[in-house]
Amino acid sequence: MPGANNTWDQAKRRAWLFCFMDIVSRKRESLFCFNDNESVIIKVMNKMTQRPILNTNLDSETYRSYYYLKEELVEFCRYNGIPSSGGKIELTDRIAYFLDTGSVKKVTRSKKNTIEVGLITEDTIIEQNIVCSEKHRAFFKEKVGKTFSFNVQFQKWLKANAGKKYRDAIEAYYLILEEKKKGKTKIDKQFEYNTYIRDFFEANKGRSLEDAIKCWKYKKSLPGHNQYEASDLEALSR
């Protein structure tokens, strides 16, 4: 039927808008942004925040000074033909390059050569491009105990410290466990929300998660860094 497709498209847009407004009304943290020629969804979102819309009119400096969800970055990349795989830091750099040059930055993935490891002792040198195998797991369980596990921080330490000895890795593992107990484990940059919430509660004992999230939403609407500051409490008086 003539006009049937157009009617269906309008119905889908209305459905997305109603879904978006429902998310907003429930004050959920994760909001999805659809870059569809500055569609009505983006316009609604723009009215609710001080952030500029993520589009090709931005320069990279302005873009980097605001917080955008990974979902928004992925959608922008897909819309503009930019590779959308990888973490948030990689996506941020690709978009900044695109905004500066108008060109898509090539993504090259080099194949890593893994080294076959033989018998592991405390004096064995940690190999380049280490792959945490069952042989490695058995060694660490023997030295550390049955509770050993390859947590993310320890895996990163191993990959960053090729050339050191496995006795150094054992010491590093215990240190990471101690830092976890103290709640001081470093959180990767792409997990800014987690870092903010943790720092908020460290500085504001007794405050609620709702207060923390309200301050976080206020913070990410501002240009600049997204680290917690005492001045962010201003959001609670609004």
Side-chain angles (χ1 to χ4, degrees):
M1 288 179 62
N5 289 338
N6 185 49
T7 301
W8 173 241
D9 287 341
Q10 291 178 353
K12 284 195 293 184
R13 291 192 184 97
R14 285 197 296 270
W16 277 118
L17 177 58
F18 291 148
C19 179
F20 176 80
M21 293 304 295
D22 179 63
I23 292 173
V24 172
S25 66
R26 294 171 187 267
K27 298 181 180 179
R28 293 182 184 172
E29 173 56 28
S30 297
L31 299 179
F32 291 88
C33 178
F34 298 88
N35 191 343
D36 185 14
N37 294 325
E38 296 185 10
S39 68
V40 64
I41 296 174
I42 294 181
K43 289 178 181 177
V44 171
M45 186 173 180
N46 192 44
K47 288 180 180 178
M48 301 183 64
T49 177
Q50 300 177 39
R51 296 181 313 161
I53 299 171
L54 177 53
N55 60 25
T56 53
N57 295 324
L58 285 181
D59 59 77
S60 65
E61 184 178 353
T62 302
Y63 157 66
R64 284 185 182 276
S65 68
Y66 286 91
Y67 178 90
Y68 293 92
L69 296 171
K70 184 180 179 182
E71 287 84 355
E72 296 176 82
L73 306 186
V74 169
E75 192 65 29
F76 179 90
C77 287
R78 288 174 178 168
Y79 186 83
N80 290 284
I82 303 169
S84 58
S85 60
K88 192 173 180 182
I89 295 175
E90 294 171 294
L91 296 175
T92 298
D93 290 341
R94 288 176 206 160
I95 292 174
Y97 181 85
F98 179 78
L99 293 175
D100 280 340
T101 67
S103 302
V104 175
K105 190 175 185 179
K106 291 184 179 179
V107 178
T108 56
R109 298 190 180 278
S110 56
K111 187 177 180 180
K112 295 180 179 178
N113 297 318
T114 56
I115 299 174
E116 185 67 27
V117 65
L119 177 66
I120 303 175
T121 69
E122 292 186 22
D123 291 319
T124 300
I125 301 298
I126 300 172
E127 62 271 25
Q128 292 282 347
N129 304 321
I130 183 173
V131 175
C132 299
S133 66
E134 286 304 313
K135 184 179 292 187
H136 293 87
R137 188 185 303 278
F139 168 78
F140 285 115
K141 278 193 173 183
E142 179 186 346
K143 300 298 180 181
V144 174
K146 293 182 179 179
T147 58
F148 169 81
S149 65
F150 281 116
N151 60 63
V152 175
Q153 293 297 326
F154 185 54
Q155 290 186 56
K156 288 184 176 181
W157 187 94
L158 288 170
K159 291 181 183 297
N161 288 277
K164 290 188 177 181
K165 295 183 177 182
Y166 275 88
R167 68 172 67 255
D168 299 319
I170 295 171
E171 292 179 9
Y173 183 79
Y174 283 123
L175 181 60
I176 289 170
L177 291 185
E178 284 301 314
E179 289 177 344
K180 277 191 171 184
K181 289 178 182 177
K182 296 175 183 176
K184 293 295 184 180
T185 304
K186 183 180 179 183
I187 301 175
D188 285 352
K189 186 178 184 300
Q190 61 263 40
F191 303 117
E192 292 174 293
Y193 169 76
N194 305 60
T195 304
Y196 186 94
I197 298 299
R198 183 187 69 179
D199 293 346
F200 176 91
F201 282 122
E202 282 187 359
N204 299 279
K205 306 295 183 184
R207 288 281 189 179
S208 67
L209 179 59
E210 184 179 357
D211 289 341
I213 292 175
K214 190 171 183 180
C215 289
W216 162 249
K217 289 182 177 181
Y218 166 73
K219 187 69 171 188
K220 71 178 184 177
S221 72
L222 303 175
H225 66 79
N226 294 301
Q227 299 168 3
Y228 172 76
E229 295 175 308
S231 58
D232 297 345
L233 296 174
E234 178 186 339
L236 302 179
S237 62
R238 292 189 168 197

